[in-house]
Short mmCIF file of all heavy atoms in Angstrom, two decimals:
data_model
loop_
_atom_site.label_atom_id
_atom_site.label_comp_id
_atom_site.label_asym_id
_atom_site.label_seq_id
_atom_site.Cartn_x
_atom_site.Cartn_y
_atom_site.Cartn_z
N LEU A 56 19.64 -40.09 -46.32
CA LEU A 56 21.01 -39.95 -45.71
C LEU A 56 21.57 -41.48 -45.36
O LEU A 56 22.67 -41.69 -45.65
CB LEU A 56 21.00 -39.20 -44.46
CG LEU A 56 22.27 -38.98 -43.80
CD1 LEU A 56 23.41 -38.35 -44.62
CD2 LEU A 56 22.10 -38.08 -42.50
N MET A 59 22.75 -43.01 -48.52
CA MET A 59 24.05 -42.45 -49.01
C MET A 59 25.23 -42.87 -48.01
O MET A 59 26.30 -43.12 -48.59
CB MET A 59 24.03 -40.94 -49.01
CG MET A 59 22.95 -40.35 -50.04
SD MET A 59 22.98 -38.63 -50.29
CE MET A 59 21.78 -38.30 -48.89
N GLY A 66 31.45 -48.82 -50.97
CA GLY A 66 32.67 -48.65 -51.74
C GLY A 66 34.05 -48.80 -50.94
O GLY A 66 34.96 -49.43 -51.46
N VAL A 83 53.08 -45.55 -50.08
CA VAL A 83 53.40 -45.39 -51.38
C VAL A 83 54.23 -44.25 -51.82
O VAL A 83 55.18 -44.29 -52.58
CB VAL A 83 52.23 -45.52 -52.38
CG1 VAL A 83 52.45 -45.32 -53.72
CG2 VAL A 83 51.53 -46.85 -52.22
N TYR A 139 40.47 -52.23 -38.08
CA TYR A 139 39.88 -51.02 -38.76
C TYR A 139 38.35 -51.11 -39.06
O TYR A 139 37.62 -50.24 -38.73
CB TYR A 139 40.70 -50.57 -39.97
CG TYR A 139 42.03 -50.26 -39.54
CD1 TYR A 139 43.14 -51.17 -39.88
CD2 TYR A 139 42.39 -49.05 -38.94
CE1 TYR A 139 44.46 -50.92 -39.52
CE2 TYR A 139 43.72 -48.77 -38.58
CZ TYR A 139 44.60 -49.73 -38.86
OH TYR A 139 46.03 -49.36 -38.42
N ARG A 170 33.66 -23.27 -35.66
CA ARG A 170 34.23 -22.03 -34.89
C ARG A 170 34.20 -20.77 -35.77
O ARG A 170 34.22 -19.70 -35.27
CB ARG A 170 35.71 -22.34 -34.40
CG ARG A 170 35.61 -23.44 -33.44
CD ARG A 170 37.04 -23.78 -32.95
NE ARG A 170 36.85 -24.76 -31.78
CZ ARG A 170 37.80 -25.51 -31.46
NH1 ARG A 170 39.03 -25.30 -31.88
NH2 ARG A 170 37.67 -26.41 -30.43
N ASN A 177 22.50 -29.81 -40.26
CA ASN A 177 23.04 -31.16 -40.06
C ASN A 177 23.22 -31.91 -41.31
O ASN A 177 24.14 -32.74 -41.43
CB ASN A 177 22.08 -31.83 -39.02
CG ASN A 177 22.29 -31.23 -37.60
OD1 ASN A 177 23.48 -31.03 -37.16
ND2 ASN A 177 21.26 -31.05 -36.98
N LEU A 185 30.08 -37.79 -45.82
CA LEU A 185 29.86 -38.71 -47.01
C LEU A 185 30.98 -38.39 -48.00
O LEU A 185 31.76 -39.29 -48.52
CB LEU A 185 28.61 -38.42 -47.59
CG LEU A 185 27.36 -39.07 -46.91
CD1 LEU A 185 26.13 -38.51 -47.45
CD2 LEU A 185 27.32 -40.61 -47.19
#
Side-chain angles (χ1 to χ4, degrees):
L56 177 59
M59 291 184 276
V83 173
Y139 297 103
R170 293 180 176 166
N177 289 316
L185 286 161

